[in-house]
Amino acid sequence: TLLGEYHRSTLRPYLRAEFPRRGLRLVRQRDNLALCETYPPELVVPASVSDLELKKVAQYRSKGRIPVVIWTSPDPDSGATISRSAQPKPGVQNKRSTDDERFLDELRRLCAARRMVIVDARSKVATQGNRVMGMGTELTRYYDGVELIYGNVANIHAARDALGAVHALCRAAAAPLVSNAAFAGLFGGGGGYGPPS
């Protein structure tokens, strides 16, 4: 599962011991700090950001999904990290969040390169459409050292579903024997995607 992978790749005991030296800390979501119900109970964030600031960042992010560190470089001197989050909520009025801006700046400062790249999987057109609904993307003019790249995935939900199907296929391939019908069923009944009968 993705949660299991997160624990294996980010929350390994030897990495936890490295968090203070890397400028990171582990946050445990609980009653007094419930940020996002779709996130795991333990999150990795910059150590310099307070719990109060985390709550404010969560208010500015869709579904409270703040940028959390999901990978750290094996080389502790590089400081490189990968974070994941939901879209911010600037809307058509270009609302800002100085807490969100500072949070991303703290993430950027962790890396020796002093530059952050935000990859938005959606197209620029899709982000503009989301602005009408109160969402959008980072207003890069307010974020120091940030570059925004669009992935141009036409339908992120279809891409996620396709990835799920590939994962299911890999799990099925690891099973001792899978019938052709079961194999084809992984892709909605076959449609030419399964092995020949």
Side-chain angles (χ1 to χ4, degrees):
T1 67
L2 289 176
L3 181 57
E5 183 59 32
Y6 174 72
H7 280 276
R8 282 189 298 280
S9 65
T10 308
L11 300 179
R12 294 172 289 209
Y14 74 90
L15 274 180
R16 286 180 190 227
E18 287 282 317
F19 286 169
R21 190 168 84 80
R22 293 180 181 225
L24 297 169
R25 71 179 174 113
L26 190 66
V27 171
R28 288 182 175 84
Q29 292 197 89
R30 51 197 183 280
D31 292 338
N32 62 337
L33 186 63
L35 300 170
C36 176
E37 61 186 43
T38 63
Y39 272 1
E42 296 179 319
L43 309 173
V44 180
V45 298
S48 57
V49 178
S50 72
D51 288 355
L52 179 60
E53 288 171 304
L54 290 176
K55 288 179 182 179
K56 290 179 180 178
V57 172
Q59 291 171 352
Y60 186 67
R61 294 278 167 171
S62 177
K63 299 182 182 179
R65 294 179 181 157
I66 66 170
V68 294
V69 175
I70 60 168
W71 178 85
T72 58
S73 169
D75 176 7
D77 295 325
S78 84
T81 63
I82 296 176
S83 298
R84 183 176 194 274
S85 70
Q87 63 185 315
K89 301 192 261 186
V92 291
Q93 296 176 340
N94 292 330
K95 293 183 211 163
R96 294 176 61 184
S97 166
T98 55
D99 294 295
D100 193 74
E101 293 163 19
R102 184 176 115 61
F103 185 89
L104 284 173
D105 195 51
E106 292 302 317
L107 277 173
R108 180 185 63 82
R109 291 172 188 264
L110 295 173
C111 183
R114 305 289 181 242
R115 177 174 163 254
M116 176 185 279
V117 176
I118 296 174
V119 180
D120 192 321
R122 304 166 297 166
S123 68
K124 188 172 184 177
V125 170
T127 64
Q128 297 306 314
N130 286 349
R131 287 170 58 88
V132 174
M133 297 182 291
M135 303 296 181
T137 194
E138 287 78 6
L139 305 170
T140 55
R141 64 185 171 269
Y142 302 121
Y143 294 85
D144 292 333
V146 167
E147 177 184 356
L148 179 61
I149 298 172
Y150 296 98
N152 294 317
V153 175
N155 183 332
I156 194 69
H157 304 292
R160 183 188 58 225
D161 293 345
L163 178 62
V166 170
H167 280 212
L169 176 62
C170 292
R171 284 191 302 275
L177 280 175
V178 177
S179 71
N180 286 343
F183 184 89
L186 293 171
F187 290 98
Y193 296 107
S197 299

